[in-house]
Amino acid sequence: MIVTGGTKGIGFGIAEVFANAGDHVTIVGRDLDTAAEAASRLAEGGGTVGYVVADVSRPDGCVRMAEEVLAAHGAIDVLCANAGMFAMKRLSAMTEADYDETFDLNMKGCMFSVQACLPALAASEHGRVVVTSSITGPITGVPGWTHYGASKAAQLGFVRAAAMELAPQGITVNAILPGTILSEGLLELGMNLDKAAAGIPLKRLGDPRDIGHAAYFFASDEASYITGQTLVIDGGVTLIE
């Protein structure tokens, strides 16, 4: 199985859950040293973990990713299209470059990662696609994240259409909508973590592995009759009026 953006944050948590369950995991990232170090850490848990260095915001990077995994392992049965970014920029200061950077990774990277893996997913007879979206965009709005929220909402349109298109091949396509998850990206925002946790009904931030467990379910045989669906994992924050 493949986890794009699996070298840190939510992607690392997803990879950790699959690796600890004994699955063969390939994580994908842009930086060689970061990818190698992350794979080494994941392997300490007993899993079989490899890595590919590729820029999935480019279709040719997605193709190379799929080709390298197939050359090494001969199959792809699960793709967790997780790679993403959430740089903050107010609408009044938004540039075309800001928009393009966000959509290239969040939306284009999701779509073309799936496209590149399609033949292998169909051949596996257990094809599973799990997309990491967000509550921001599909459900909530946050000032400064108009481009991010739009890209995450767009992912859900892709998930529903792709689920219909790929169902005849036995491939399921589902999405996870995380809330506030404690990750490197969150820390880089300089957010007051105690204040953020206090505003969540469960009174804690999410762990990346919380998202990993959901992805593992969507990839399981037990979820074989679920496609085109979304699962919110946010500690209850979207319940607040």
Side-chain angles (χ1 to χ4, degrees):
M1 64 89 63
I2 297 174
V3 185
T4 66
T7 63
K8 59 184 179 180
I10 287 175
F12 187 91
I14 293 171
E16 186 176 12
V17 169
F18 279 84
N20 288 347
D23 294 333
H24 189 285
V25 179
T26 300
I27 57 174
V28 182
R30 292 173 169 174
D31 181 74
L32 174 61
D33 291 339
T34 303
E37 191 272 336
S40 177
R41 285 169 54 204
L42 289 166
E44 291 174 359
T48 305
V49 183
Y51 63 89
V52 169
V53 177
D55 181 359
V56 297
S57 70
R58 298 176 55 86
D60 58 351
C62 298
V63 170
R64 191 174 77 255
M65 169 193 75
E67 289 177 346
E68 290 191 22
V69 174
L70 281 172
H73 308 295
I76 301 169
D77 60 348
V78 179
L79 169 65
C80 291
N82 166 81
M85 61 175 294
F86 52 95
M88 184 171 283
K89 180 64 71 76
R90 288 278 179 168
L91 182 59
S92 58
M94 186 78 63
T95 66
E96 185 177 7
D98 295 324
Y99 172 92
D100 286 345
E101 183 182 25
T102 298
F103 266 77
D104 280 354
L105 185 56
N106 292 3
M107 187 59 245
K108 188 189 292 184
C110 170
M111 179 177 291
F112 286 102
S113 291
V114 175
Q115 184 192 67
C117 294
L118 270 183
L121 289 168
S124 76
E125 299 184 350
H126 182 90
R128 301 282 190 271
V129 175
V130 183
V131 174
T132 303
S133 181
S134 175
I135 62 170
T136 302
I139 301 176
T140 66
V142 178
W145 283 352
T146 54
H147 53 337
Y148 173 81
S151 72
K152 291 299 179 178
Q155 284 182 329
L156 297 193
F158 166 75
V159 162
R160 292 173 182 129
M164 290 289 290
E165 187 173 327
L166 303 182
Q169 300 174 61
I171 300 170
T172 67
V173 187
N174 294 291
I176 300 169
L177 279 60
T180 307
I181 307 298
L182 184 58
S183 65
E184 292 91 338
L186 185 67
L187 294 172
E188 289 169 4
L189 291 176
M191 183 183 295
N192 184 320
L193 301 184
D194 291 336
K195 183 177 180 180
I200 298 170
L202 288 181
K203 302 303 179 187
R204 69 172 179 88
L205 303 180
D207 186 292
R209 289 168 295 187
D210 292 327
I211 310 306
H213 293 305
Y216 193 80
F217 169 68
F218 275 139
S220 70
D221 289 337
E222 288 77 8
S224 64
Y225 202 55
I226 302 172
T227 195
Q229 302 305 309
T230 61
L231 178 59
V232 173
I233 301 178
D234 68 349
V237 74
T238 50
L239 300 174
I240 300 170
E241 184 175 350

